[in-house]
Structure formats: structure tokens, C-alpha cells
Amino acid sequence: QVRLAESGGGSVQAGGSLNLSCTGSGDNFERYSMGWFRQAPGKERVFVVTTGWSGTAIAESVKGRATVSRDNDQATLSLQMSSLKFEDTAVYFCAAKLKISSSWEYWGQGIQVTVCT
């Protein structure tokens, strides 16, 4: 299994940018598909970006504003977002799954991102 920890959250002004990082430990990072998800207050948790054997998927809500990258040697997954909107305010979660698995089994603790108007 892999343990995940997010960092880089905080408060930003609308129109600004942020960079989130997820660090894995405890297992070979290359074995996992990775993703970023978010959950706004009172809302369903939804995917933001995922990357794995099937390629990279980006949610329509952040398309053109988000970029995901990973460094397997450093066991890190990064999310860069720009042109932030108030609607981007949410708790962001890093997630991992074995490539043969259909469910996202491993999760970070979540990190708050607040976009101020």
C-alpha cells in the first residue's frame, strides 16, 4: 500500500494560481494510477485530473486551467491551476489505485483551497 500526503493549499485571490503537491511513501509509486479530486461544502466529491495507464483525464470544469504532472523517482504528483474561480474552493484530495483496480483505494487527508472574490 501507499501513503499519501498533500501540501501547497491555502487561500488565493480569484484569477490567481496555485500549485498542489502530493507525496507518496511506503510503496513503489510507479505501480499506481494517480488522481486529484475535490469536494466543495455540501457537494459530491468529484475528480479533477487523473493520470495512469489509460492516459490523462481532465474534468471539464478545470479544462484549460489545470495541469497534472508526476515524478515517479520523487514519488510526487503535482497539480497546477490557474485562473482560479470561487467555485474552485474545495478540499482537494490526492488519490491512488493500482492500475488493475477499478476503485480509488488510497487517499490523502485532503487540503483546503479557498478562492477569495
Side-chain angles (χ1 to χ4, degrees):
Q1 64 178 2
V2 64
R3 294 176 291 276
L4 304 173
E6 303 96 338
S7 63
S11 298
V12 296
Q13 291 186 335
S17 301
L18 65 77
N19 295 278
L20 300 179
S21 182
C22 171
T23 300
S25 62
D27 203 357
N28 187 345
F29 200 66
E30 288 183 296
R31 298 178 181 179
Y32 297 89
S33 296
M34 302 295 302
W36 286 98
F37 298 76
R38 68 185 184 185
Q39 186 169 22
K43 303 293 185 179
E44 179 184 27
R45 183 171 60 195
V46 298
F47 96 96
V48 180
V49 294
T50 59
T51 182
W53 64 269
S54 62
T56 299
I58 304 176
E60 189 69 27
S61 60
V62 299
K63 190 166 294 183
R65 303 189 297 116
T67 301
V68 65
S69 61
R70 67 187 293 169
D71 186 332
N72 290 329
D73 290 336
Q74 297 296 320
T76 57
L77 177 76
S78 298
L79 175 67
Q80 299 86 46
M81 294 185 65
S82 62
S83 301
L84 287 164
K85 307 172 181 179
F86 177 76
E87 292 76 22
D88 293 318
T89 296
V91 176
Y92 284 69
F93 297 89
C94 177
K97 70 178 185 70
L98 294 173
K99 293 181 179 180
I100 61 173
S101 298
S102 60
S103 62
W104 295 91
E105 185 175 3
Y106 305 102
W107 296 85
Q109 79 283 2
I111 190 165
Q112 179 70 46
V113 172
T114 302
V115 181
C116 304
T117 58

